């Protein structure tokens, strides 16, 4: 068969292990998954109530334009409906962008480590990938700007960054954008934007007006607790959205996903409560790291990225045996580190107790 040459040796995305598989493998009754940065408190009770009380006609195609959800998001953000593009999760938006803008002969720039789907999709399209190493978990924006040339098509900026959790300060972001040519699309991936508390971070929506080549990317999968419904969206200038929309699959969001996303958006009180609980949980991990002199990056997300000073695959496996699924840094290109989703207070306390035991067994501390 005439396969794309770029697919040679390429591996599919490997998510965190599912709970059921870990239960079978280790004979466990209860397993806590803290690997994929899902909201441990789940979705809004309003969503749960809707799902219990309403039936959906599954024989009917969804609204391909997602009109009701589009109106809800536009009203909430204060943008035009024509400034929105909806996808089957942010992954779908990334695929749309790479399909529209990347091809052999152009290049794309991103931080390293950052979200793997940027370079994965770029490789599929045959574009050159330029990875710029992070400095202390943060984007090296000066080096990223210096890497741009007349063949650069997309620059990916993940803020807060996955997997490090570091957010970009407003002044630094604006200084970077001022250096980017107007014909280069800057994708600002804000999957964790609802969790940001950093005092130097500001609302990024005005950037779209000041820099028409900026596209914001957000999701309902994280703070809104709707990961299984797969709803992501982009915000940009109408002209940019209009060029991207023909690349989108005709019915890329289901009737149900569009409905529950709009319901979740309406319950900002619940979202705020989840974010406040996340901040308390984050402090549990920070205190643990400082107590044991473990390096960690300041996180503005619902996860923490820390250096165990041990083989992160061993730490991953030992915690899994004890009923906790996390993410090994080896899978993210950062040996020694682990990424842990911040859970409930009880989940955090239990995991940290096991982590302390595992690191003692590995000789990290007495």
């Amino acid at each position: 068969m005439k396969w794309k040459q770029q697919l040679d040796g390429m591996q599919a995305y490997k998510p965190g292990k599912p709970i059921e598989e870990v239960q079978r493998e280790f004979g466990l009754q209860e397993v806590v998954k803290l690997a994929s940065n899902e909201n441990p408190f789940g979705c809004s009770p309003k969503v749960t109530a809707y799902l219990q009380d309403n039936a959906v006609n599954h024989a009917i195609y969804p609204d391909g334009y997602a009109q009701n959800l589009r109106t809800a998001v536009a009203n909430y953000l204060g943008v035009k409906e024509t400034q929105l593009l909806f996808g089957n999760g942010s992954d779908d938006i990334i695929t749309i962008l790479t399909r529209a803008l990347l091809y052999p002969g152009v290049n794309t720039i991103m931080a390293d480590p950052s979200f793997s789907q940027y370079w994965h999709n770029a490789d599929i399209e045959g574009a050159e990938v330029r990875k710029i190493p992070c400095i202390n978990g943060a984007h090296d924006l000066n080096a990223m700007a210096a890497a741009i040339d007349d063949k650069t098509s997309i620059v990916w900026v993940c803020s807060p960054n996955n997997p490090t959790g570091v957010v970009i300060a407003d002044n630094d972001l604006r200084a970077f954008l001022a250096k980017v040519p107007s014909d280069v699309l800057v994708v600002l991936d804000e999957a964790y934007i609802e969790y940001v508390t950093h005092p130097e971070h500001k609302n990024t929506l005005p950037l779209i007006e000041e820099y028409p080549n900026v596209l914001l990317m957000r999701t309902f999968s994280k703070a809104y607790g709707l990961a299984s419904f797969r709803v992501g969206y982009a915000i940009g200038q109408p002209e940019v959205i209009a060029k991207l929309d023909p690349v989108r699959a005709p019915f890329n969001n289901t009737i149900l996903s569009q409905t529950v996303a709009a319901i979740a958006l309406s319950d900002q009180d619940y979202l705020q409560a989840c974010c406040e609980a996340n901040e308390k949980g984050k402090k549990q991990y920070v205190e643990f790291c400082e107590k044991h002199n473990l390096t960690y990056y300041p996180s503005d997300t619902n996860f923490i990225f820390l250096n165990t000073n041990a083989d992160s695959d061993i730490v991953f496996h030992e915690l899994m045996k004890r009923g906790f699924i996390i993410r090994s840094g080896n899978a993210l290109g950062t040996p020694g580190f682990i990424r842990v989703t911040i859970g409930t207070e009880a989940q955090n306390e239990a995991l940290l107790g096991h982590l302390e035991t595992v690191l003692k067994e590995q000789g990290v501390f007495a």
Side-chain angles (χ1 to χ4, degrees), residues 227-262:
S228 68
F229 287 98
R230 314 306 300 124
V231 183
Y233 62 99
I235 318 159
Q237 285 292 335
E239 295 79 10
V240 175
I241 299 298
K243 293 290 286 187
L244 294 170
D245 203 34
V247 186
R248 177 182 58 82
F251 306 106
N252 61 336
N253 289 119
T254 67
I255 292 174
L256 203 53
S257 65
Q258 292 176 26
T259 302
V260 299

mmCIF file of all heavy atoms in Angstrom, residues 227-262:
data_model
loop_
_atom_site.group_PDB
_atom_site.id
_atom_site.type_symbol
_atom_site.label_atom_id
_atom_site.label_comp_id
_atom_site.label_asym_id
_atom_site.label_seq_id
_atom_site.Cartn_x
_atom_site.Cartn_y
_atom_site.Cartn_z
ATOM 1 N N ALA A 227 -14.266 15.355 30.083
ATOM 2 C CA ALA A 227 -13.271 14.758 29.187
ATOM 3 C C ALA A 227 -13.881 13.714 28.256
ATOM 4 O O ALA A 227 -13.499 13.613 27.083
ATOM 5 C CB ALA A 227 -12.134 14.144 30.006
ATOM 6 N N SER A 228 -14.833 12.932 28.736
ATOM 7 C CA SER A 228 -15.386 11.864 27.906
ATOM 8 C C SER A 228 -16.282 12.385 26.789
ATOM 9 O O SER A 228 -16.587 11.660 25.840
ATOM 10 C CB SER A 228 -16.175 10.868 28.768
ATOM 11 O OG SER A 228 -17.349 11.457 29.289
ATOM 12 N N PHE A 229 -16.717 13.644 26.878
ATOM 13 C CA PHE A 229 -17.596 14.205 25.854
ATOM 14 C C PHE A 229 -16.823 14.859 24.709
ATOM 15 O O PHE A 229 -17.405 15.166 23.673
ATOM 16 C CB PHE A 229 -18.563 15.222 26.479
ATOM 17 C CG PHE A 229 -19.637 14.579 27.293
ATOM 18 C CD1 PHE A 229 -19.523 14.493 28.669
ATOM 19 C CD2 PHE A 229 -20.758 14.036 26.683
ATOM 20 C CE1 PHE A 229 -20.515 13.885 29.435
ATOM 21 C CE2 PHE A 229 -21.758 13.430 27.430
ATOM 22 C CZ PHE A 229 -21.631 13.355 28.813
ATOM 23 N N ARG A 230 -15.529 15.113 24.886
ATOM 24 C CA ARG A 230 -14.649 15.600 23.837
ATOM 25 C C ARG A 230 -15.142 16.881 23.183
ATOM 26 O O ARG A 230 -15.616 16.891 22.047
ATOM 27 C CB ARG A 230 -14.446 14.523 22.751
ATOM 28 C CG ARG A 230 -14.136 13.107 23.232
ATOM 29 C CD ARG A 230 -12.949 13.030 24.176
ATOM 30 N NE ARG A 230 -11.732 13.515 23.555
ATOM 31 C CZ ARG A 230 -10.987 14.492 24.049
ATOM 32 N NH1 ARG A 230 -11.328 15.097 25.170
ATOM 33 N NH2 ARG A 230 -9.889 14.867 23.444
ATOM 34 N N VAL A 231 -15.011 17.977 23.894
ATOM 35 C CA VAL A 231 -15.364 19.285 23.342
ATOM 36 C C VAL A 231 -14.205 20.256 23.566
ATOM 37 O O VAL A 231 -13.906 20.619 24.702
ATOM 38 C CB VAL A 231 -16.643 19.869 23.978
ATOM 39 C CG1 VAL A 231 -16.996 21.199 23.294
ATOM 40 C CG2 VAL A 231 -17.808 18.892 23.861
ATOM 41 N N GLY A 232 -13.562 20.637 22.490
ATOM 42 C CA GLY A 232 -12.555 21.685 22.531
ATOM 43 C C GLY A 232 -12.965 22.789 21.588
ATOM 44 O O GLY A 232 -13.843 22.604 20.736
ATOM 45 N N TYR A 233 -12.355 23.947 21.726
ATOM 46 C CA TYR A 233 -12.704 25.038 20.818
ATOM 47 C C TYR A 233 -11.545 26.013 20.676
ATOM 48 O O TYR A 233 -10.650 26.076 21.522
ATOM 49 C CB TYR A 233 -13.970 25.764 21.273
ATOM 50 C CG TYR A 233 -13.901 26.454 22.623
ATOM 51 C CD1 TYR A 233 -13.674 27.827 22.719
ATOM 52 C CD2 TYR A 233 -14.091 25.746 23.808
ATOM 53 C CE1 TYR A 233 -13.634 28.472 23.946
ATOM 54 C CE2 TYR A 233 -14.048 26.373 25.044
ATOM 55 C CZ TYR A 233 -13.816 27.732 25.103
ATOM 56 O OH TYR A 233 -13.777 28.368 26.333
ATOM 57 N N ALA A 234 -11.579 26.752 19.567
ATOM 58 C CA ALA A 234 -10.575 27.782 19.296
ATOM 59 C C ALA A 234 -11.270 29.126 19.159
ATOM 60 O O ALA A 234 -12.436 29.199 18.756
ATOM 61 C CB ALA A 234 -9.800 27.449 18.034
ATOM 62 N N ILE A 235 -10.536 30.187 19.502
ATOM 63 C CA ILE A 235 -11.044 31.554 19.416
ATOM 64 C C ILE A 235 -10.035 32.360 18.604
ATOM 65 O O ILE A 235 -8.843 32.379 18.927
ATOM 66 C CB ILE A 235 -11.193 32.198 20.809
ATOM 67 C CG1 ILE A 235 -11.794 31.219 21.815
ATOM 68 C CG2 ILE A 235 -12.008 33.480 20.734
ATOM 69 C CD1 ILE A 235 -11.509 31.568 23.258
ATOM 70 N N GLY A 236 -10.516 33.018 17.572
ATOM 71 C CA GLY A 236 -9.617 33.807 16.753
ATOM 72 C C GLY A 236 -10.368 34.832 15.924
ATOM 73 O O GLY A 236 -11.584 35.013 16.082
ATOM 74 N N GLN A 237 -9.666 35.480 15.044
ATOM 75 C CA GLN A 237 -10.295 36.429 14.145
ATOM 76 C C GLN A 237 -11.220 35.678 13.177
ATOM 77 O O GLN A 237 -10.895 34.563 12.754
ATOM 78 C CB GLN A 237 -9.248 37.203 13.363
ATOM 79 C CG GLN A 237 -8.540 38.272 14.165
ATOM 80 C CD GLN A 237 -9.471 39.428 14.536
ATOM 81 O OE1 GLN A 237 -10.457 39.695 13.869
ATOM 82 N NE2 GLN A 237 -9.143 40.120 15.618
ATOM 83 N N PRO A 238 -12.367 36.268 12.818
ATOM 84 C CA PRO A 238 -13.302 35.589 11.906
ATOM 85 C C PRO A 238 -12.641 35.104 10.619
ATOM 86 O O PRO A 238 -12.983 34.028 10.108
ATOM 87 C CB PRO A 238 -14.350 36.666 11.631
ATOM 88 C CG PRO A 238 -14.339 37.532 12.842
ATOM 89 C CD PRO A 238 -12.905 37.568 13.276
ATOM 90 N N GLU A 239 -11.687 35.869 10.096
ATOM 91 C CA GLU A 239 -11.021 35.492 8.859
ATOM 92 C C GLU A 239 -10.206 34.211 9.028
ATOM 93 O O GLU A 239 -10.148 33.370 8.119
ATOM 94 C CB GLU A 239 -10.103 36.620 8.382
ATOM 95 C CG GLU A 239 -10.831 37.910 7.988
ATOM 96 C CD GLU A 239 -11.244 38.755 9.192
ATOM 97 O OE1 GLU A 239 -10.806 38.443 10.333
ATOM 98 O OE2 GLU A 239 -11.998 39.730 8.999
ATOM 99 N N VAL A 240 -9.584 34.065 10.189
ATOM 100 C CA VAL A 240 -8.798 32.855 10.466
ATOM 101 C C VAL A 240 -9.735 31.659 10.639
ATOM 102 O O VAL A 240 -9.499 30.571 10.086
ATOM 103 C CB VAL A 240 -7.930 33.057 11.728
ATOM 104 C CG1 VAL A 240 -7.207 31.762 12.103
ATOM 105 C CG2 VAL A 240 -6.926 34.184 11.510
ATOM 106 N N ILE A 241 -10.797 31.831 11.406
ATOM 107 C CA ILE A 241 -11.758 30.752 11.625
ATOM 108 C C ILE A 241 -12.385 30.312 10.305
ATOM 109 O O ILE A 241 -12.571 29.114 10.053
ATOM 110 C CB ILE A 241 -12.852 31.206 12.618
ATOM 111 C CG1 ILE A 241 -12.238 31.560 13.985
ATOM 112 C CG2 ILE A 241 -13.923 30.123 12.766
ATOM 113 C CD1 ILE A 241 -11.541 30.429 14.687
ATOM 114 N N ALA A 242 -12.709 31.266 9.444
ATOM 115 C CA ALA A 242 -13.340 30.957 8.162
ATOM 116 C C ALA A 242 -12.428 30.098 7.274
ATOM 117 O O ALA A 242 -12.909 29.255 6.504
ATOM 118 C CB ALA A 242 -13.717 32.243 7.436
ATOM 119 N N LYS A 243 -11.114 30.304 7.370
ATOM 120 C CA LYS A 243 -10.174 29.489 6.590
ATOM 121 C C LYS A 243 -10.046 28.082 7.166
ATOM 122 O O LYS A 243 -9.830 27.113 6.427
ATOM 123 C CB LYS A 243 -8.799 30.159 6.558
ATOM 124 C CG LYS A 243 -8.746 31.464 5.795
ATOM 125 C CD LYS A 243 -8.895 31.241 4.297
ATOM 126 C CE LYS A 243 -7.660 30.666 3.672
ATOM 127 N NZ LYS A 243 -7.755 30.610 2.187
ATOM 128 N N LEU A 244 -10.191 27.949 8.488
ATOM 129 C CA LEU A 244 -10.042 26.650 9.139
ATOM 130 C C LEU A 244 -11.295 25.798 9.065
ATOM 131 O O LEU A 244 -11.226 24.562 9.013
ATOM 132 C CB LEU A 244 -9.663 26.850 10.615
ATOM 133 C CG LEU A 244 -8.290 27.466 10.898
ATOM 134 C CD1 LEU A 244 -8.169 27.826 12.365
ATOM 135 C CD2 LEU A 244 -7.175 26.502 10.486
ATOM 136 N N ASP A 245 -12.450 26.432 9.056
ATOM 137 C CA ASP A 245 -13.711 25.699 9.180
ATOM 138 C C ASP A 245 -13.937 24.654 8.080
ATOM 139 O O ASP A 245 -14.469 23.578 8.358
ATOM 140 C CB ASP A 245 -14.884 26.682 9.234
ATOM 141 C CG ASP A 245 -16.110 26.074 9.908
ATOM 142 O OD1 ASP A 245 -15.924 25.263 10.844
ATOM 143 O OD2 ASP A 245 -17.236 26.398 9.505
ATOM 144 N N PRO A 246 -13.538 24.882 6.831
ATOM 145 C CA PRO A 246 -13.736 23.847 5.816
ATOM 146 C C PRO A 246 -12.950 22.563 6.073
ATOM 147 O O PRO A 246 -13.281 21.511 5.516
ATOM 148 C CB PRO A 246 -13.245 24.530 4.525
ATOM 149 C CG PRO A 246 -13.373 25.983 4.782
ATOM 150 C CD PRO A 246 -13.055 26.145 6.234
ATOM 151 N N VAL A 247 -11.927 22.646 6.916
ATOM 152 C CA VAL A 247 -11.114 21.471 7.230
ATOM 153 C C VAL A 247 -11.798 20.598 8.285
ATOM 154 O O VAL A 247 -11.551 19.395 8.380
ATOM 155 C CB VAL A 247 -9.712 21.910 7.717
ATOM 156 C CG1 VAL A 247 -8.795 20.713 7.916
ATOM 157 C CG2 VAL A 247 -9.087 22.891 6.737
ATOM 158 N N ARG A 248 -12.675 21.199 9.044
ATOM 159 C CA ARG A 248 -13.379 20.496 10.122
ATOM 160 C C ARG A 248 -14.323 19.435 9.550
ATOM 161 O O ARG A 248 -14.994 19.653 8.554
ATOM 162 C CB ARG A 248 -14.173 21.515 10.954
ATOM 163 C CG ARG A 248 -15.017 20.929 12.061
ATOM 164 C CD ARG A 248 -15.791 22.023 12.784
ATOM 165 N NE ARG A 248 -16.657 22.785 11.891
ATOM 166 C CZ ARG A 248 -17.866 22.379 11.514
ATOM 167 N NH1 ARG A 248 -18.341 21.215 11.919
ATOM 168 N NH2 ARG A 248 -18.599 23.141 10.705
ATOM 169 N N ALA A 249 -14.378 18.268 10.209
ATOM 170 C CA ALA A 249 -15.340 17.232 9.809
ATOM 171 C C ALA A 249 -16.759 17.762 10.001
ATOM 172 O O ALA A 249 -17.018 18.553 10.914
ATOM 173 C CB ALA A 249 -15.123 15.971 10.636
ATOM 174 N N PRO A 250 -17.713 17.328 9.185
ATOM 175 C CA PRO A 250 -19.058 17.925 9.213
ATOM 176 C C PRO A 250 -19.772 17.854 10.561
ATOM 177 O O PRO A 250 -20.422 18.812 10.960
ATOM 178 C CB PRO A 250 -19.813 17.117 8.158
ATOM 179 C CG PRO A 250 -18.761 16.598 7.243
ATOM 180 C CD PRO A 250 -17.567 16.352 8.101
ATOM 181 N N PHE A 251 -19.666 16.725 11.262
ATOM 182 C CA PHE A 251 -20.396 16.550 12.527
ATOM 183 C C PHE A 251 -19.413 16.104 13.615
ATOM 184 O O PHE A 251 -19.483 14.982 14.111
ATOM 185 C CB PHE A 251 -21.526 15.516 12.369
ATOM 186 C CG PHE A 251 -22.471 15.832 11.240
ATOM 187 C CD1 PHE A 251 -22.433 15.099 10.063
ATOM 188 C CD2 PHE A 251 -23.381 16.870 11.355
ATOM 189 C CE1 PHE A 251 -23.302 15.388 9.016
ATOM 190 C CE2 PHE A 251 -24.255 17.166 10.310
ATOM 191 C CZ PHE A 251 -24.217 16.429 9.143
ATOM 192 N N ASN A 252 -18.496 16.997 13.972
ATOM 193 C CA ASN A 252 -17.399 16.593 14.855
ATOM 194 C C ASN A 252 -17.702 16.739 16.342
ATOM 195 O O ASN A 252 -16.848 16.442 17.173
ATOM 196 C CB ASN A 252 -16.105 17.346 14.496
ATOM 197 C CG ASN A 252 -16.240 18.844 14.646
ATOM 198 O OD1 ASN A 252 -17.332 19.400 14.582
ATOM 199 N ND2 ASN A 252 -15.121 19.516 14.851
ATOM 200 N N ASN A 253 -18.916 17.193 16.695
ATOM 201 C CA ASN A 253 -19.370 17.170 18.090
ATOM 202 C C ASN A 253 -20.757 16.538 18.122
ATOM 203 O O ASN A 253 -21.587 16.816 17.263
ATOM 204 C CB ASN A 253 -19.461 18.574 18.692
ATOM 205 C CG ASN A 253 -18.106 19.209 18.927
ATOM 206 O OD1 ASN A 253 -17.803 20.242 18.353
ATOM 207 N ND2 ASN A 253 -17.291 18.605 19.762
ATOM 208 N N THR A 254 -21.022 15.714 19.104
ATOM 209 C CA THR A 254 -22.318 15.055 19.186
ATOM 210 C C THR A 254 -23.378 15.995 19.752
ATOM 211 O O THR A 254 -23.064 17.031 20.356
ATOM 212 C CB THR A 254 -22.247 13.810 20.080
ATOM 213 O OG1 THR A 254 -21.990 14.231 21.438
ATOM 214 C CG2 THR A 254 -21.139 12.868 19.625
ATOM 215 N N ILE A 255 -24.644 15.607 19.568
ATOM 216 C CA ILE A 255 -25.739 16.361 20.163
ATOM 217 C C ILE A 255 -25.548 16.458 21.676
ATOM 218 O O ILE A 255 -25.695 17.520 22.280
ATOM 219 C CB ILE A 255 -27.094 15.692 19.840
ATOM 220 C CG1 ILE A 255 -27.403 15.796 18.347
ATOM 221 C CG2 ILE A 255 -28.224 16.329 20.663
ATOM 222 C CD1 ILE A 255 -28.638 15.032 17.930
ATOM 223 N N LEU A 256 -25.205 15.330 22.282
ATOM 224 C CA LEU A 256 -25.069 15.285 23.737
ATOM 225 C C LEU A 256 -23.908 16.146 24.219
ATOM 226 O O LEU A 256 -24.023 16.890 25.199
ATOM 227 C CB LEU A 256 -24.878 13.831 24.183
ATOM 228 C CG LEU A 256 -25.243 13.479 25.623
ATOM 229 C CD1 LEU A 256 -26.655 13.930 25.972
ATOM 230 C CD2 LEU A 256 -25.100 11.966 25.827
ATOM 231 N N SER A 257 -22.772 16.085 23.519
ATOM 232 C CA SER A 257 -21.598 16.846 23.957
ATOM 233 C C SER A 257 -21.851 18.350 23.861
ATOM 234 O O SER A 257 -21.446 19.115 24.742
ATOM 235 C CB SER A 257 -20.368 16.453 23.150
ATOM 236 O OG SER A 257 -20.500 16.799 21.786
ATOM 237 N N GLN A 258 -22.524 18.770 22.815
ATOM 238 C CA GLN A 258 -22.838 20.191 22.678
ATOM 239 C C GLN A 258 -23.749 20.668 23.801
ATOM 240 O O GLN A 258 -23.552 21.753 24.358
ATOM 241 C CB GLN A 258 -23.521 20.441 21.331
ATOM 242 C CG GLN A 258 -22.618 20.234 20.130
ATOM 243 C CD GLN A 258 -23.365 20.398 18.820
ATOM 244 O OE1 GLN A 258 -24.367 21.092 18.759
ATOM 245 N NE2 GLN A 258 -22.887 19.761 17.767
ATOM 246 N N THR A 259 -24.713 19.837 24.148
ATOM 247 C CA THR A 259 -25.685 20.220 25.176
ATOM 248 C C THR A 259 -25.053 20.299 26.554
ATOM 249 O O THR A 259 -25.218 21.289 27.276
ATOM 250 C CB THR A 259 -26.860 19.222 25.201
ATOM 251 O OG1 THR A 259 -27.478 19.187 23.901
ATOM 252 C CG2 THR A 259 -27.900 19.625 26.237
ATOM 253 N N VAL A 260 -24.293 19.260 26.934
ATOM 254 C CA VAL A 260 -23.737 19.247 28.291
ATOM 255 C C VAL A 260 -22.638 20.290 28.454
ATOM 256 O O VAL A 260 -22.452 20.823 29.555
ATOM 257 C CB VAL A 260 -23.230 17.841 28.685
ATOM 258 C CG1 VAL A 260 -24.377 16.835 28.669
ATOM 259 C CG2 VAL A 260 -22.084 17.374 27.801
ATOM 260 N N ALA A 261 -21.918 20.613 27.378
ATOM 261 C CA ALA A 261 -20.898 21.655 27.484
ATOM 262 C C ALA A 261 -21.534 23.005 27.790
ATOM 263 O O ALA A 261 -21.023 23.773 28.619
ATOM 264 C CB ALA A 261 -20.084 21.730 26.191
ATOM 265 N N ALA A 262 -22.656 23.283 27.142
ATOM 266 C CA ALA A 262 -23.360 24.545 27.413
ATOM 267 C C ALA A 262 -23.891 24.577 28.841
ATOM 268 O O ALA A 262 -23.848 25.623 29.513
ATOM 269 C CB ALA A 262 -24.508 24.730 26.413
#
